[in-house]
Amino acid sequence: MELIPLNDIINLLMFKNPFSFHGRIRRLEYWFSWVIYYGYSAIVNFILVSLGIIEHMVVPIKHTIIPIDFPALRIPDNAIHASIVFITYVPLVVFIITQRAKRCHDRGNSGWFQIIPFYGLWMLFADGEIGDNQYGPNPKGKSYHFLKPDREF
């Protein structure tokens, strides 16, 4: 049985640098990032509500044709509770912003493109640039160097 070198295993893994703005990520890693984001949010919200640190409240929206009640979370008035909420959510927000920036890089755009409305949704389905770009090598490993001649004829 032949052992696989450790470098090859590391190159196959996703989330090598989840808090770095450098590099590119594939669509699959971007999808998993959103699954982690919503899963972490649900777990943290459940824990914080269970401990009484934050409270669920219903916000009535009266200025519509059909009055609706909108579920929301109330920010705690206690400074200690507010700091607990802040500490639990800051890593999550940084994680998703960095993952979105790297997905923008895979599309060949600056990370600032993520502030365009609905661009995050577009990045879930759009394919990245083929080959290397200014942000790094293609995370899929696909490159079409054979289409570019090395010399002129």
Side-chain angles (χ1 to χ4, degrees):
M1 184 165 108
E2 185 179 333
L3 293 175
I4 299 172
L6 184 61
N7 288 340
D8 292 344
I9 294 172
I10 291 173
N11 287 335
L12 294 174
L13 298 175
M14 291 190 285
F15 301 108
K16 287 184 254 181
N17 294 316
F19 295 100
S20 170
F21 285 95
H22 301 290
R24 299 166 62 176
I25 61 170
R26 300 171 62 170
R27 277 180 293 188
L28 182 63
E29 187 172 344
Y30 187 62
W31 274 94
F32 282 147
S33 298
W34 281 107
V35 169
I36 290 169
Y37 175 81
Y38 285 114
Y40 180 88
S41 293
I43 291 168
V44 168
N45 282 341
F46 178 76
I47 292 170
L48 293 177
V49 169
S50 297
L51 295 175
I53 293 175
I54 58 176
E55 299 175 5
H56 275 288
M57 58 185 237
V58 177
V59 179
I61 302 175
K62 299 176 184 175
H63 303 291
T64 59
I65 296 172
I66 302 170
I68 35 177
D69 293 335
F70 183 72
L73 295 173
R74 189 174 69 83
I75 301 296
D77 297 328
N78 185 343
I80 294 172
H81 289 176
S83 61
I84 290 171
V85 171
F86 182 77
I87 289 169
T88 55
Y89 281 106
V90 165
L92 181 66
V93 171
V94 172
F95 168 75
I96 204 64
I97 289 172
T98 56
Q99 293 298 97
R100 287 178 63 137
K102 287 191 277 191
R103 184 67 184 130
C104 288
H105 293 169
D106 190 43
R107 300 270 311 128
N109 300 317
S110 167
W112 289 103
F113 272 60
Q114 66 182 303
I115 63 174
I116 298 172
F118 302 108
Y119 192 72
L121 182 65
W122 171 253
M123 290 189 297
L124 285 170
F125 302 104
D127 201 11
E129 279 189 346
I130 296 174
D132 299 348
N133 67 14
Q134 64 185 359
Y135 301 105
N138 189 348
K140 288 185 178 181
K142 291 183 181 178
S143 183
Y144 295 109
H145 295 295
F146 61 87
L147 295 177
K148 300 177 188 174
D150 293 338
R151 62 181 191 273
E152 293 183 25
F153 295 100

